């Protein structure tokens, strides 16, 4: 590089020209910490002979219990950190990194806290909720790791707004192309126009399979139409081309929406169950002290 | 014709006509010689119905002929009437071809060989004589009509017409051609630079309006390269462009009909093409008895021309005490100074003392002083503080200033009498880089940015002087190492400023050469061909230099250096530079380190190429993609790693929530290559295009290097149009949202991120109309922790980088190019 003149110093700003994702953040710093905590908990559990049998009421039980609760409350704070854009040298990336690894370490800490004493009660409910939250988190990590490339590749350089605009444009052209058609032809085109291309509920959204897709039906109907002539040009040709374009445009948007849905659907478990978990935890703690 | 006139006036424009009218009024024997068969040919040739402006408005008109803003036809009518009424002795169809003799006995020879005798001569032939010609290959062969004048814009229909030059004449032609949509002309106007500093504000406004309405295609930073059948090939900031073209109207200004004037024995201030005749304050040339006024004297506004016509006749008539009409305005500028001098003495004092103004005629001094302020400072007064906003240029007419340290001691950097400071603001309107303090009783002239830009555009001497000083300062600042201005004298002697187009090579690998190039503006990329393919080595922004690698060996270029964006480089002679290095061991040592680094880098790449060919290729193409997307002129750019981005748009929400509810980035929009996405967000360009014509100059560069818009924004939308990256939005500030907690617990308000327009509309305070203003990224300057978009990204996909940090091969060592 050519010799560089002094640049004006920037204020309060760390420049990072190298970058790493949240999982690799600072060479897996939080993974290491989480593993360390888990190892310590396991070691103590193994060498700590609680009588009559390990349970939440021992010193060890209290300690892991307290750590667990605090950890859960702190993990929940990620939702606040994500939205309260206050000044300061925090980065959501490091929070997420810590969230993931410390969240996973809860599997060890909380399980040891229970002393494997499960039953049909509020205590086990809290544990189960926590494990579902964690499981959904693991699912989330998997989507975060696997889907971004596909999302980017699918949309190319078009934005969602542009994709929808494009769809509207094709609809307008379809509408015009339908004008010279007879009633039957118009009905076919209307199948594609009147259809809500994104209806079909969550399952359709997540799988990308829209069984009642009007455009597909219209395309099939146009192709099967008895009035089509092999050699000569007819007004259906143009409709067919447009329907084909609409179909390919739809498949791209649907894939886009599917990937986006997958990237956030787990949060619809993760977040509400977090609140259920906190409620259950509260009952768990109160009842433990009450019956003690 | 035996009798001798007291005064012969050549040219019947506003200047000559006013002179003749006054001579007639005073009963002086005179003749007004006019080349054409009507008065005032320049104005006669304006477009039909042109609205003629009467600027500067603070100047009073002093003439026996009336003039006020109005339609061309009306003005010409009044002039015809009043010259007749004054019994002015006009001789039409009388082009003067030669002037001989001397004061008291001049002979003017006309083209038809008639000789006219006069004691004194007033030359008022304007500058329309020879328009600057378009020079580009293909003018004869392409079949495109090239013309230098437009008489009736209504003549042309359904043509692709390109107007070259964006002074007043060019703008007015373009407006005329595009006026009537029914004519079906596709009109394009080209401007060599980015701003329209040569044209009047009102015209620029009309042009911008026409552009918004889609009537005129305005291309800045563009010049014609060649003409081809039916097409014009242009050099633009981003390389070549080809547009349809049937007709070119070249309005690229004009030079004084210099040859003729010089043949009359009149000297000019300098050999520069655009220089003016040397004049006394009474408009007398170096050939006693011949006077020059009007546009030819360097003052192109009608009002000034007419005043000068009146004045010069007074002077010739012996009234040498007469003060010019702008005298009271100028007097006002000097009254508060502790020293008392007359206006003329002050102007002469400033002109001779301030280096960059040396070449100015007294008339030009008057002109720009009307816009400027003169200030007096005692010893140890602060003239401006570091980081203060401001982009005016200061000239030291007396005394000297230094740069103090924060504790009040001096840095030892003294700017002497005659020099200038504040010149950095001319480029990008940055805040003041350092505090300036007077260290003696000091008188400075503060020239607003637009006035000095205009001066630089019209007086080459000023441009040269300012460029020389800023070059010297740039070199000193870049090299430091205890170098003094005197050390640079030899190197500066060889300095030559060159413009390079985007993509053009400054030098190529394998060529001979050892000159050193300092990048003055823009940026360059360094490439080396490895295995037959050009490999991107590094990106070098302005303020650095290249080409020193070859100084100490055979002088064969080892690398190719090409401009990433349209750039300006200062070429320094290799030999002179080497002598400088040898004379300054400390500097030498530093330069050697830099050379070493670069050579290591090249050999690193070469070694890597065999083992990781694809990695190097990938790196090279990613780097080229970024450069193609304007990252080359960025100082700070937002990038998104598409392998990590989960599309949560938290970056946009964070931006909105830390900035009055409006997001300054559009994550999805923008270009993508491999896994790198360049979203629509400000790059904080080195030379921000958005600043080019902001009427209230509301766009500045802040202390963190951010380009920001202050509260004086009037919402005109010029910046939005000028930004090539589409990052500026025109938005109303939405009403305040209920707090995060209220949203979370009670569902109040629209939640995090930018509220929808509907919500903003529904919740606006009734009766309070908020204006739309320009909104853009401010790099989160002043927010602790820096860019919110980056901090708020949960996965680390969003990063903000300086291109020179990002585009280095050093990244290869960390494997993820
Ligand atoms: C398109 C355009 C728009 C403009 N708009 C404005 C405006 O709105 N307001 C404003 O204040 N200014 C405007 N100007 C500038 C202004 O018109 C000129 O600067 C002004 O006319 C100069 O006056 P002058 O008397 O010095 O010379 P000119 O007006 O140029 O007159 C020179 C005269 O001399 C004659 N002549 C030339 N050579 C000879 C010769 N050898 N022998 C005899 N006669 C000769 C010419 O035919 C001409 O009539 C505009 C200029 C242009 C080109
Ligand atoms: C009991 C343990 C956990 C609790 C209480 C918890 C709670 C939360 C909460 C409240 C959020 C905020 C979501 C939002 O507001 O958008 C969140 C986000 C998230 N959690 Fe957890 N979590 C837990 C464990 C985990 C685990 C174990 C993982 C991963 C293996 C995980 C991965 C994530 C991720 C990836 C996010 C999303 C970050 C983002 O996109 O902003 N969580 N979690
Ligand atoms: S607004 Fe546009 S032109 Fe101005 S600095 Fe930002 S990217 Fe550059
Ligand atoms: S740096 Fe700040 S202002 Fe600029 S886009 Fe990011 S959050 Fe918005
Ligand atoms: S915050 Fe990060 S992950 Fe979310 S959209 Fe922006 S860049 Fe992508």
């Amino acid at each position: 590089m050519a010799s560089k003149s002094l640049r004006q110093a920037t204020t309060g700003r760390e420049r990072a020209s190298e970058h790493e994702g949240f999982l690799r953040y600072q060479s897996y710093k939080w993974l290491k910490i989480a593993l360390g905590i888990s190892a310590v908990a396991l070691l103590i559990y193994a060498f700590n002979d609680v009588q009559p049998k390990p349970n939440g009421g021992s010193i060890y039980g209290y300690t892991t219990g307290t750590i667990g609760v605090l950890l859960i409350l702190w993990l929940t704070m990620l939702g606040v950190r994500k939205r309260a854009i206050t000044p300061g040298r925090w980065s959501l990336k490091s929070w997420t990194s810590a969230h993931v690894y410390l969240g996973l370490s809860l599997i060890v800490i909380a399980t040891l806290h229970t002393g494997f004493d499960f039953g049909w009660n509020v205590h086990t409910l809290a544990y189960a909720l926590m494990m579902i939250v964690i499981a959904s988190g693991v699912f989330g990590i998997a989507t975060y790791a696997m889907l971004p490339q596909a999302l980017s590749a699918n949309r190319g350089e078009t934005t969602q707004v542009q994709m929808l605009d494009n769809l509207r444009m094709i609809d307008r052209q379809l509408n015009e192309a339908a004008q010279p058609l007879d009633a039957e032809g118009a009905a076919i085109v209307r199948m594609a126009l009147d259809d809500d291309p994104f209806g079909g509920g969550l399952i359709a959204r997540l799988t990308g399979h829209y069984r009642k897709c009007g455009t597909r039906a219209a395309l099939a109907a146009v192709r099967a139409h008895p009035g089509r002539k092999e050699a000569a040009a007819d007004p259906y040709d143009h409709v067919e081309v447009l329907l084909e374009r609409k179909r390919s445009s739809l498949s791209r948007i649907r894939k886009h929406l599917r990937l986006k849905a997958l990237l956030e659907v787990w949060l619809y478990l993760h977040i509400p169950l977090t609140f259920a978990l906190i409620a259950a935890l509260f009952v768990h703690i109160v009842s433990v002290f009450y019956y003690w | 014709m035996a009798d001798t006139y007291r005064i012969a006036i050549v040219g019947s424009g506003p200047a000559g006509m006013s002179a003749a009218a006054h001579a007639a009024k005073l009963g002086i024997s005179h003749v007004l010689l006019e080349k054409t068969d009507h008065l005032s040919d320049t104005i006669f040739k304006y477009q039909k119905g042109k609205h003629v402006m009467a600027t500067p408005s603070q100047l009073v008109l002093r003439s026996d002929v009336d003039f006020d803003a109005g339609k061309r036809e009306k003005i010409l009518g009044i002039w015809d009437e009043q010259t007749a009424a004054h019994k002015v002795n006009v001789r039409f169809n009388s082009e003067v071809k030669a002037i001989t003799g001397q004061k008291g006995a001049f002979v003017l020879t006309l083209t038809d060989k008639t000789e006219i005798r006069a004691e004194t001569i007033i030359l008022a032939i304007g500058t329309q004589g020879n328009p600057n010609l378009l020079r580009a290959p293909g003018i004869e062969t392409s079949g495109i009509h090239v013309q230098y004048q437009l008489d009736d814009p209504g003549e042309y229909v359904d043509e692709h017409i390109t107007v070259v030059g964006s002074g007043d004449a060019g703008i007015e032609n373009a407006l005329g051609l595009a006026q009537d949509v029914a004519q079906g002309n596709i009109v394009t106007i080209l401007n060599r630079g980015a701003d329209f500093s040569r044209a009047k504000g009102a015209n620029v406004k009309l042009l911008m309006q026409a552009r918004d309405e889609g009537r005129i295609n305005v291309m800045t930073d563009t010049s014609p390269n060649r003409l081809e059948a039916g097409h014009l090939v242009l050099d633009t900031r981003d390389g070549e462009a080809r547009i349809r073209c049937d007709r070119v109207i070249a309005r690229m200004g004009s030079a004084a009909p210099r040859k003729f004037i010089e043949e009359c024995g009149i000297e000019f201030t300098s050999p520069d093409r655009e220089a003016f005749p040397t004049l006394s304050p009474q408009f007398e040339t170096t050939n006693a008895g011949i006077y020059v006024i009007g546009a030819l004297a360097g003052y192109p506004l009608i009002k000034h021309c007419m005043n000068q016509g009146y004045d010069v006749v007074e002077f010739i008539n012996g009234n040498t005490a007469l003060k010019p009409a702008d005298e009271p305005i100028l007097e006002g500028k000097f009254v508060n100074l502790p020293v008392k001098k007359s206006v003329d003495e002050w102007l002469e004092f400033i002109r001779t003392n301030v280096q960059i103004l040396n070449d100015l005629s007294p008339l030009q001094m008057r002109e720009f002083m009307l816009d400027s302020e003169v200030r007096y400072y005692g010893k140890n007064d602060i003239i401006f503080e570091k980081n203060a906003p401001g982009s005016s240029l200061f000239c030291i007419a007396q005394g000297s200033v230094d740069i103090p340290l924060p504790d009040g001691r001096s840095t030892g950097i003294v700017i002497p009498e005659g020099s200038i400071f504040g010149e950095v603001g001319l480029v990008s309107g940055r805040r003041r880089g350092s505090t300036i303090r007077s260290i003696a009783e000091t008188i400075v002239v503060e020239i607003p940015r637009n006035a000095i830009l205009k001066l630089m555009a019209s007086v080459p001497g000023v441009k040269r002087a300012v460029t020389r000083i800023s070059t010297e300062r740039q070199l000193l600042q870049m090299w430091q190492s205890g170098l003094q201005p005197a050390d640079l004298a030899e190197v500066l002697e060889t300095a030559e400023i060159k413009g390079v187009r985007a993509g053009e090579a400054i030098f190529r690998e394998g060529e001979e050469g050892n000159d050193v190039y300092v990048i003055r503006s823009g940026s360059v990329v360094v490439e080396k061909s490895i295995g037959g393919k050009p490999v991107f080595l590094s990106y070098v922004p302005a303020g650095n230099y290249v080409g020193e690698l070859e100084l100490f060996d055979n002088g064969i270029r080892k690398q190719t250096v090409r401009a990433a964006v349209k750039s300006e480089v200062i070429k320094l002679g290799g030999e002179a530079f080497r002598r400088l290095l040898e004379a300054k061991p400390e500097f030498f040592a530093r330069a050697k380190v830099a050379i070493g680094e670069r050579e290591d880098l090249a050999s690193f790449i070469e070694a890597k190429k065999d083992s990781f060919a694809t990695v190097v290729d990938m790196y090279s193409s990613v780097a080229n993609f970024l450069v193609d997307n304007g990252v080359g002129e960025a100082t700070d750019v937002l990038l998104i790693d598409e392998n990590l981005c989960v599309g949560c748009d938290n970056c946009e929400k964070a931006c909105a929530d830390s900035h009055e509810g409006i997001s300054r980035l559009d994550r999805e929009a923008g270009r993508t290559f491999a896994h790198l996405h360049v979203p629509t967000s400000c790059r904080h360009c080195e030379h921000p295009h958005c600043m080019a014509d902001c009427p209230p100059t509301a766009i500045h560069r802040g202390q963190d290097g951010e380009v920001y818009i202050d509260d004086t924004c009037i919402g005109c939308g010029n910046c939005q149009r000028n930004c090539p990256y589409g990052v500026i939005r025109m938005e109303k500030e939405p009403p305040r949202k209920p707090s995060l907690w209220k949203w979370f617990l009670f569902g109040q308000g629209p939640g995090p991120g930018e509220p929808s327009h509907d919500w903003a509309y529904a919740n606006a305070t009734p009766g309070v109309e908020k204006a739309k203003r320009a909104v853009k990224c401010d790099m989160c300057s002043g927010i602790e922790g820096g860019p919110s978009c980056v901090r708020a990204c949960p996965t680390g996909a969003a990063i903000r980088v300086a291109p020179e940090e990002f585009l280095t091969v050093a990244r290869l060592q960390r494997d993820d190019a």
Side-chain angles (χ1 to χ4, degrees):
Chain A
M1 189 74 249
S3 27
K4 199 180 281 178
S5 65
L6 282 180
R7 272 193 153 244
Q8 240 179 350
T10 56
T11 54
R13 160 105 190 260
E14 277 152 32
R15 279 187 180 266
S17 43
E18 83 284 354
H19 74 285
E20 40 190 11
F22 67 111
L23 290 176
R24 292 175 43 178
Y25 178 68
Q26 294 195 348
S27 321
Y28 301 101
K29 175 167 122 187
W30 290 104
L31 172 61
K32 291 173 189 160
I33 294 175
L35 283 175
I37 296 175
S38 306
V40 171
L42 270 171
L43 276 177
I44 301 179
Y45 184 82
F47 293 102
N48 190 6
D49 193 12
V50 180
Q51 290 306 327
K53 63 173 193 114
N55 65 62
S58 64
I59 306 241
Y60 181 80
Y62 274 133
T63 320
T64 47
T66 314
I67 293 179
V69 170
L70 291 178
L71 212 49
I72 286 174
L73 291 179
W74 179 81
L75 290 169
T76 309
M77 290 305 290
L78 182 65
V80 178
R81 177 72 293 173
K82 187 174 172 181
R83 295 179 177 86
I85 311 299
T86 53
R89 287 162 181 272
W90 53 273
S91 90
L92 196 63
K93 167 170 79 171
S94 62
W95 273 68
T96 318
S97 187
H99 180 93
V100 167
Y101 293 119
L102 295 182
L104 285 172
S105 76
L106 263 181
I107 302 179
V108 176
I109 296 171
T111 308
L112 297 182
H113 170 73
T114 64
F116 299 99
D117 180 6
F118 302 115
W120 292 106
N121 51 31
V122 70
H123 316 296
T124 303
L125 173 67
Y127 178 79
L129 284 173
M130 184 198 78
M131 291 308 278
I132 304 179
V133 170
I134 294 177
S136 63
V138 171
F139 176 85
I141 292 305
T143 63
Y144 276 24
M146 291 184 309
L147 301 183
Q149 291 98 318
L151 183 71
S152 165
N154 177 57
R155 76 176 181 87
E157 287 177 352
T158 36
T159 65
Q160 185 172 317
V161 174
Q162 285 166 340
M163 290 186 219
L164 294 173
D165 278 350
N166 187 36
L167 199 62
R168 268 193 289 278
M169 199 185 73
I170 297 177
D171 275 352
R172 265 200 306 278
Q173 290 175 346
L174 264 176
N175 191 32
E176 263 163 48
Q179 299 312 317
L181 298 185
D182 53 14
E184 193 190 351
I188 295 179
V189 172
R190 211 165 312 116
M191 279 172 17
L193 289 181
D194 294 348
D195 179 43
D196 169 9
F198 308 114
L202 185 64
I203 304 294
R205 176 68 60 101
L206 286 177
T207 57
H209 295 301
Y210 293 75
R211 278 188 298 114
K212 283 180 285 193
C213 172
T215 304
R216 202 181 41 207
L219 197 55
V222 159
R223 287 191 174 144
H225 191 72
R228 301 292 297 277
K229 297 180 207 76
E230 265 307 312
D234 67 55
Y236 284 98
D237 285 353
H238 188 45
V239 172
E240 183 181 348
V241 169
L242 285 172
L243 283 172
E244 184 54 51
R245 270 175 58 197
K246 181 164 181 191
R247 198 194 53 78
S248 86
S249 167
L250 266 181
S251 80
R252 185 188 203 185
I253 308 180
R254 285 174 176 160
K255 184 166 182 196
H256 180 75
L257 295 176
R258 182 174 82 89
L259 292 170
K260 282 193 78 165
L262 279 172
L263 281 164
E264 52 180 50
V265 66
W266 60 278
L267 278 171
Y268 289 93
L269 268 188
H270 201 71
I271 302 173
L273 290 190
T274 293
F275 292 105
L277 163 62
I278 291 173
L281 264 184
F282 184 72
V283 178
H284 158 67
I285 295 165
V286 170
S287 66
V288 162
F289 279 98
Y290 187 74
Y291 292 113
W292 181 48
Chain B
M1 198 178 289
D3 47 333
T4 300
Y5 295 106
R6 180 91 186 280
I7 307 177
I9 300 150
V10 188
S12 69
M17 174 200 58
S18 171
H22 195 52
K25 174 114 183 284
L26 295 179
I28 298 173
S29 83
H30 68 280
V31 61
L32 177 59
L33 302 170
E34 168 55 47
K35 174 168 75 172
T36 62
D37 63 2
H38 47 256
L39 288 179
S40 204
D41 188 47
T42 302
I43 290 152
F44 188 86
K45 277 188 187 151
Y46 285 179
Q47 283 163 33
K48 287 196 183 105
K50 178 194 186 295
H51 178 82
V52 182
M53 284 171 257
T55 40
S57 49
Q58 78 263 42
L59 185 68
V60 289
L61 181 73
R62 180 158 71 189
S63 173
D64 300 303
V65 186
D66 292 332
F67 171 59
D68 211 342
K71 271 215 157 64
R72 156 189 175 276
E73 288 71 17
K74 181 170 160 234
I75 291 167
L76 288 175
I78 293 176
W79 288 353
D80 281 340
E81 218 172 85
Q82 299 191 350
T83 36
H86 283 297
K87 301 208 164 50
V88 173
N89 177 23
V90 196
R91 192 176 196 281
F92 287 118
N93 301 316
S94 310
E95 177 171 1
V96 177
K97 218 182 62 194
I99 296 176
T100 49
Q102 63 279 308
K103 189 170 181 170
F106 286 114
V107 179
L108 299 96
T109 314
L110 307 186
T111 27
D112 64 5
K113 307 227 163 58
T114 319
E115 292 191 348
I116 289 175
R117 285 160 211 287
E119 290 169 23
T120 51
I121 295 176
I122 298 173
L123 277 179
I125 59 175
T127 50
Q128 294 299 301
N130 1 2
N132 291 331
L133 299 184
L134 183 69
R135 279 172 228 283
I139 293 189
E140 287 85 25
T141 53
S142 67
I144 297 178
H145 304 272
V146 178
Q147 62 194 60
Y148 296 92
Q149 183 189 325
L150 176 70
D151 290 333
D152 180 4
E155 262 175 62
Y156 309 101
V157 285
D158 292 329
E159 285 192 30
H160 287 80
I161 306 181
T162 306
V163 178
V164 183
S166 44
D168 286 314
I171 295 182
E172 279 161 17
N173 284 177
L175 286 170
L177 285 165
Q179 181 98 50
D180 185 0
V181 187
Q183 275 172 250
N185 292 319
I186 311 240
V187 184
T188 304
I189 184 166
L190 311 183
N191 182 8
R192 223 178 340 147
D195 27 7
F196 294 87
S197 57
R198 280 167 185 267
K200 282 187 288 286
N203 271 332
V204 179
K205 230 179 256 164
L206 287 174
L207 180 67
M208 294 305 148
Q209 202 179 322
R211 174 176 67 175
D212 297 346
E213 292 163 11
R215 286 188 286 126
I216 295 181
N217 190 3
V218 179
M219 300 183 72
T220 53
D221 279 326
T222 301
S223 47
N225 173 304
R226 59 184 186 275
L227 285 70
E228 291 172 356
H231 284 88
L232 188 60
V233 180
L234 308 169
D235 286 330
T236 71
R237 218 169 33 83
D238 315 306
E240 272 188 7
R242 199 158 173 270
I243 60 169
R244 279 268 285 126
C245 178
D246 305 315
R247 184 179 300 277
V248 170
I249 297 178
R251 302 306 299 255
M252 303 175 301
S254 52
R258 180 151 178 177
K259 199 162 153 267
F260 167 65
I261 313 266
E262 279 179 334
E263 280 164 4
C264 301
I266 295 168
E267 287 167 21
F268 280 67
T269 48
S270 85
D272 281 311
R273 239 170 60 87
E274 294 177 42
F276 294 100
T278 309
L279 296 181
S280 75
Q282 278 80 39
F283 308 106
E284 191 160 7
T285 64
T286 47
N287 187 353
I290 303 186
Y291 295 76
V292 166
I293 57 171
L296 182 60
Y299 211 92
L301 289 175
I302 294 171
K303 233 185 200 179
H304 269 267
C305 293
M306 294 180 69
N307 286 353
Q308 288 167 4
Y310 177 100
D311 293 353
V312 76
V313 171
E314 284 287 320
F315 293 141
I316 293 171
N317 203 28
N319 178 9
T320 45
L322 178 81
K323 296 289 175 215
D326 53 18
E327 191 80 0
I329 304 173
L330 287 176
E331 263 166 15
K333 307 238 172 210
F334 300 108
V335 282
N336 293 324
L337 301 179
V339 197
K340 297 294 162 217
K341 292 184 206 279
S342 73
V343 169
D344 283 333
E345 284 165 349
W346 269 120
L347 292 179
E348 193 55 15
F349 174 78
I350 292 170
R351 190 184 70 79
T352 47
N353 279 16
V354 176
Q355 254 178 47
I356 64 160
L357 301 179
N358 287 172
D359 275 4
L360 261 56
S361 71
L363 284 168
Q364 288 168 322
M365 283 298 296
R366 296 191 89 92
E367 176 197 357
F368 95 85
M369 272 310 298
L370 285 175
D371 293 327
S372 308
E373 292 306 326
V374 192
R375 292 186 218 289
Y376 167 84
Y377 294 92
K379 210 174 149 160
N380 285 331
D381 284 350
I382 300 292
I383 299 179
F384 55 69
E385 302 264 9
K386 183 178 171 134
N387 290 332
S391 53
S392 49
L393 179 83
F394 287 80
C395 306
I396 309 176
Q398 179 191 312
S400 53
V401 302
D402 77 343
I403 301 177
L405 290 167
D407 61 10
R409 285 178 302 140
S410 175
T411 50
I413 302 174
V414 171
I415 302 169
E417 184 169 300
S419 194
I420 55 172
F421 55 93
E423 77 284 352
V424 186
L426 294 185
V427 184
S428 55
R430 284 171 208 253
R431 287 176 180 234
R432 303 299 189 187
S434 42
T435 301
I436 293 283
R437 170 179 70 183
S438 59
I439 49 174
E441 302 210 335
T442 300
I443 293 173
V444 295
V445 184
E446 180 177 1
I447 314 174
R449 179 165 184 264
N450 275 341
I452 188 75
L453 286 181
K454 191 168 158 200
L455 206 56
M456 283 168 69
S458 53
V459 189
V462 174
K463 181 163 183 176
R464 257 199 321 274
V466 172
T467 310
R468 196 195 136 94
I469 294 180
S470 50
T471 305
E472 180 185 295
R473 297 249 169 91
Q474 183 178 12
L475 298 188
L476 284 175
Q477 207 222 331
M478 181 171 80
W479 289 335
Q480 297 179 335
S481 309
L483 292 181
Q484 293 298 319
D487 302 328
L488 294 182
E490 191 197 345
V491 174
L492 278 178
E493 217 41 64
T494 68
E496 192 186 315
I497 296 197
K498 289 174 53 169
V500 257
R501 280 172 286 154
E504 189 182 334
I506 297 170
F507 53 76
R508 287 172 206 279
E509 190 173 347
E511 268 174 17
E512 235 174 278
N514 63 357
D515 293 332
V516 169
Y517 294 85
V518 176
I519 304 144
R520 195 170 122 86
S521 71
S523 59
V524 302
V525 294
V526 184
E527 293 170 350
K528 186 168 179 60
S529 125
I530 298 178
K533 264 194 262 174
V535 170
F536 184 99
L537 281 191
S538 57
Y539 163 88
V540 187
N544 298 289
Y545 62 106
V546 291
E548 81 284 18
L549 231 52
E550 291 78 13
L551 272 181
F552 298 97
D553 44 33
N554 57 8
I556 301 293
R557 297 292 188 190
K558 296 183 182 130
Q559 305 172 337
T560 298
V561 171
R562 60 176 78 246
V565 289
K566 184 176 176 185
S567 309
E568 258 186 349
V569 294
I570 309 168
K571 176 174 146 194
L572 301 176
E575 292 310 314
F577 184 69
R578 178 153 77 194
R579 278 192 289 278
L580 172 69
L581 281 178
E582 280 160 3
K584 296 283 161 186
E586 190 195 335
F587 179 35
F588 200 175
R590 275 186 41 159
K592 267 224 164 118
V593 173
I595 293 178
E597 274 173 20
R598 270 178 67 178
E599 281 177 337
D600 288 351
L601 203 106
S603 42
F604 167 79
I605 282 273
E606 216 147 357
K608 193 107 179 170
K609 178 71 187 175
D610 297 328
S611 42
F612 295 108
T614 46
V615 178
V616 173
D617 278 352
M618 186 63 197
Y619 162 76
S620 224
S621 46
V622 167
N624 284 324
F625 159 74
L626 290 177
V627 167
D628 286 347
N629 277 282
V631 175
E633 62 177 325
T635 63
D636 188 288
V637 59
L638 180 64
L639 296 179
I640 289 183
D641 183 342
E642 297 273 90
N643 284 342
L644 288 172
C645 173
V646 297
C648 63
D649 282 331
N650 214 39
C651 44
E652 287 187 14
K653 291 177 192 154
C655 182
D657 284 346
S658 50
H659 292 89
E660 292 99 34
I662 303 171
S663 170
R664 286 111 210 276
L665 77 115
D666 184 343
R667 177 192 55 89
E668 264 192 325
R671 306 289 316 273
T672 310
F673 183 78
H675 57 106
L676 270 188
H677 177 62
V678 187
T680 299
S681 159
C682 178
R683 295 111 204 265
H684 302 278
C685 301
E686 188 206 332
H687 296 276
H689 311 277
C690 51
M691 278 183 193
D693 40 41
C694 173
T697 47
I699 309 181
H700 313 275
R701 189 181 286 279
Q703 57 196 26
D704 290 350
E706 81 281 7
V707 174
Y708 70 96
I709 304 181
D710 70 22
D711 290 342
T712 60
C713 169
I714 55 170
C716 67
N718 283 356
C719 55
Q720 185 187 38
R721 284 181 294 271
N722 282 333
C723 169
Y725 306 109
V727 308
I728 300 186
R729 303 172 59 189
M730 306 303 300
E731 289 292 344
K732 281 184 202 168
E733 190 182 312
R736 277 189 73 84
K737 295 186 290 194
S739 74
L740 204 54
W741 292 112
K742 286 196 182 144
W743 166 73
F744 179 71
L745 296 175
F746 311 112
Q748 286 186 5
E754 183 172 319
S756 68
H757 279 127
D758 292 343
W759 183 87
Y761 181 73
N763 289 276
T765 329
V768 180
E769 188 55 39
K770 276 189 193 165
K772 276 194 185 173
R773 298 222 204 147
V775 194
K776 69 178 279 300
C777 165
D778 59 4
M779 232 155 92
C780 285
S781 169
I783 299 183
E784 195 201 343
S788 309
C789 47
V790 174
R791 288 184 298 146
C793 175
T795 64
I799 52 173
R800 269 206 167 268
V801 297
E804 69 272 30
E805 291 165 17
F806 194 74
L807 292 176
T808 70
V809 185
R811 297 182 52 71
L812 273 183
Q813 285 151 316
R814 291 192 301 265
D815 87 63
D816 55 348

